[in-house]
Amino acid sequence: MDTEFEVLIAGAGPTGLLLANELGLAGVRIAVVERLPRRTGWSKALNLQPRTAEVLHCRGWLEPVLDRALTLLPAGHFAGLPLDYGALDTAFPHQVGIPQARVEEFLEDHLAGYGVPVLRGRELTSFRQDGEGVTVTLRGPDDAEGTLRARYLVGADGGRSTVRRALGMPFPGRDARVGMAVADIELRDDERESGASGDSWRLPDLSPDPAGSAFLLPLGDGVHRLFLGGPEQQGVDRDAPVTEDEVRTALARCPGPPRALRAVRWASRFTDVSRQVERYVDGRVVLAGDAAHVHAPAGGQGLNLGMQDAFNLGWKLAAVLRGWAPDGLLATYHAERHPVGARVLANTRAQMALTLPDPDAVAVRELLADLLAAPDANRHVAAMIAGTDIRYPMPGAPDHPLLGARAPGVRLDAGRGLLLADAGTAVAVAADGWRDRVDRSDAPDPYDRLGRTAATEGTGALLVRPDGHVCWAGRGADADDVCAALTRWFGAPRTPVTHRGDSGRTAAPTS
Ligand SMILES: Cc1cc2nc3c(=O)[nH]c(=O)nc-3n(C[C@H](O)[C@H](O)[C@H](O)COP(=O)(O)OP(=O)(O)OC[C@H]3O[C@@H](n4cnc5c(N)ncnc54)[C@H](O)[C@@H]3O)c2cc1C
């Protein structure tokens, strides 16, 4: 059977749409299938963390996203305890306050520029994979069934992922212990309704309270996000509609003056269920975002985790399809992203434990609040929630401060690798064989460009992957070394490698 697409992505949420943009940028023939006939406009998430801002900046996509933002908060939080983002090693030391729907809107509009269709009103119901590809069955409008064929299928279809279930992939973890809800509401108070900006955004108060916590955030256009926690939320069926009575009870509990409800625009229940798939890749089927991991939204990390999954996966999948991927490249998606997801699951469980109205939890919370008053401790936790401390294991000098870490501030608009090394140095000459995949930029001091002069002065050259992570760091003379790293991450060179100081070895070119 002919392959109609190279990749099919199930789900046009933030994960699927960012992945689609990455593959679109690489010229991969893809389609996105989405169950919903149109965008709902409703948002679960309300923020982008600093690492996600860096990711968007890396492709030149941050500015238009910032244009849609409500506010920039110079802080994050851990179970409501403040984290100072100003101390982070990033050009974007803030949370971007932006409804998820606006991020999706940008990504879908941008995707149209690549000519990639989002096939809406089409639900993936099953699939079958074989040695060459995946045949996907879709239910379309009027319940009509059809099939599409692709070389790879990515399940970015959310926490109740059909792709994950159809794979029969183990999804270990634990069930929900705490139930909560959110509602986007209008208030009968003209003054408050006009609060269209995020100027009054503050970190949520998640102090343990036996009566349950509730807080409000202005979302603009007279809409406010109400968070509902507390005893009456426990044991409620997740699919039961949120009632106006529940909303009024929570509204009355919010700090500040009394407020009257005018209307509930949208409401949804959620829990602290915590699960992660055992494997992100199964043959020709890949899982990303909530399809691969679910957890409480504590600290505002889920959407960010999913978008960062997509950014790690996109260039690797494109490399496989373009035929230059070295052996095992796709497997590094699981190897790198599974531990990152596991860490988020662990920190969200810890955060939830700190919000329980239990005297022991209160004692731990007070201790942690003391610890977070120390700048080093605060920066450590801030970097974890912000995603700026992510460092993938890489072969090479493990104590090098940049190896495996992201290169902050670097722009890779074309989604290609980048060698930062002076023209004419041995590494620059050696990298010529990869110039169809790796750009080179003169960098008298590459670390200067990355804002890391103090730690790494004079070290010489860096190789950056298309996802902005440093995969080699060395000196301008280390030609054999850089060839090994280029081969490991970018496959065999197109042309035989010759370089000064060459010990006679040449890497075999690809056809
Ligand atoms: C109340 C709440 C608040 C949150 N707040 C934050 C926050 O502030 N910050 C943060 O980072 N995260 C937050 N999150 C988490 C965040 O919303 C999710 O992690 C994020 O939506 C995951 O994106 P995704 O694209 O992986 O999945 P989803 O957003 O769930 O998108 C999956 C898409 O797939 C479609 N789909 C499903 N099944 C099929 C199928 N069979 N065929 C075709 N299409 C299908 C769905 O319609 C959907 O459009 C919050 C979550 C909740 C519940």
Side-chain angles (χ1 to χ4, degrees), residues 21 39 68 104-114:
N21 273 280
R39 281 200 293 263
R68 292 163 156 88
E104 292 171 5
E105 181 189 66
F106 163 74
L107 291 171
E108 191 166 344
D109 288 355
H110 195 265
L111 189 59
Y114 298 118

Side-chain angles (χ1 to χ4, degrees), residues 124-473:
L124 178 149
T125 54
S126 63
F127 63 83
R128 188 172 39 78
Q129 61 169 319
D130 54 52
E132 273 82 49
V134 188
T135 303
V136 171
T137 304
L138 301 173
R139 187 178 336 162
D142 305 325
D143 280 348
E145 281 216 335
T147 59
L148 285 177
R149 175 95 176 149
R151 287 181 62 193
Y152 285 86
L153 166 67
V154 179
D157 51 344
R160 300 183 187 192
S161 169
T162 305
V163 175
R164 181 185 72 229
R165 289 169 199 221
L167 273 177
M169 179 73 76
F171 196 37
R174 67 152 175 77
D175 287 336
R177 292 181 181 163
V178 180
M180 295 155 278
V182 285
D184 287 353
I185 61 173
E186 294 171 39
L187 298 173
R188 279 191 204 286
D189 181 322
D190 288 337
E191 210 178 311
R192 240 171 252 113
E193 277 171 35
S194 63
S197 80
D199 293 347
S200 51
W201 275 34
R202 61 198 179 285
L203 298 176
D205 181 1
L206 297 176
S207 316
D209 183 347
S213 51
F215 55 85
L216 270 181
L217 279 181
L219 298 186
D221 300 329
V223 179
H224 296 252
R225 165 64 53 91
L226 174 67
F227 170 85
L228 303 81
E232 70 276 7
Q233 292 301 325
Q234 308 318 312
V236 181
D237 177 358
R238 227 202 103 175
D239 294 321
V242 178
T243 66
E244 283 202 5
D245 272 356
E246 287 177 87
V247 171
R248 286 203 172 83
T249 307
L251 194 55
R253 208 185 283 147
C254 286
R259 296 158 173 108
L261 177 71
R262 171 182 286 168
V264 178
R265 289 215 187 161
W266 170 79
S268 176
R269 297 188 193 281
F270 62 100
T271 71
D272 68 339
V273 60
S274 183
R275 294 186 176 279
Q276 184 181 25
V277 284
E278 280 180 356
R279 281 175 294 122
Y280 282 21
V281 184
D282 183 303
R284 292 179 170 272
V285 183
V286 184
L287 295 169
D290 277 16
H293 37 68
V294 291
H295 54 83
Q301 299 171 88
L303 167 143
N304 291 273
L305 184 61
M307 287 178 68
Q308 291 167 36
D309 283 349
F311 205 59
N312 184 288
L313 173 61
W315 72 275
K316 295 174 181 173
L317 204 44
V320 170
L321 289 160
R322 289 294 157 265
W324 57 258
D327 280 354
L329 185 66
L330 193 53
T332 67
Y333 165 63
H334 168 87
E336 293 178 348
R337 294 305 298 172
H338 190 279
V340 173
R343 197 162 176 236
V344 171
L345 259 68
N347 88 49
T348 53
R349 287 199 310 275
Q351 290 189 70
M352 290 307 293
L354 290 170
T355 63
L356 297 177
D358 172 284
D360 292 1
V362 172
V364 179
R365 188 184 174 87
E366 284 171 3
L367 182 68
L368 187 67
D370 275 353
L371 287 174
L372 289 180
D376 280 356
N378 195 289
R379 192 167 40 246
H380 178 84
V381 181
M384 178 178 70
I385 300 294
T388 54
D389 70 349
I390 294 167
R391 198 169 172 189
Y392 300 132
M394 302 266 172
D399 55 347
H400 193 285
L402 283 177
L403 193 66
R406 89 275 187 245
V410 81
R411 276 284 290 265
L412 305 166
D413 287 23
R416 294 153 53 87
L418 178 66
L419 179 70
L420 286 163
D422 286 353
T425 56
V427 298
V429 174
D432 215 40
W434 285 268
R435 67 171 176 263
D436 58 323
R437 284 150 277 171
V438 180
D439 296 323
R440 190 198 54 79
S441 173
D442 261 355
D445 180 353
Y447 301 99
D448 223 8
R449 291 180 42 147
L450 302 174
R452 300 275 189 122
T453 39
T456 53
E457 208 171 348
T459 324
L462 286 180
L463 181 61
V464 184
R465 305 191 317 193
D467 62 354
H469 279 261
V470 175
C471 59
W472 177 80

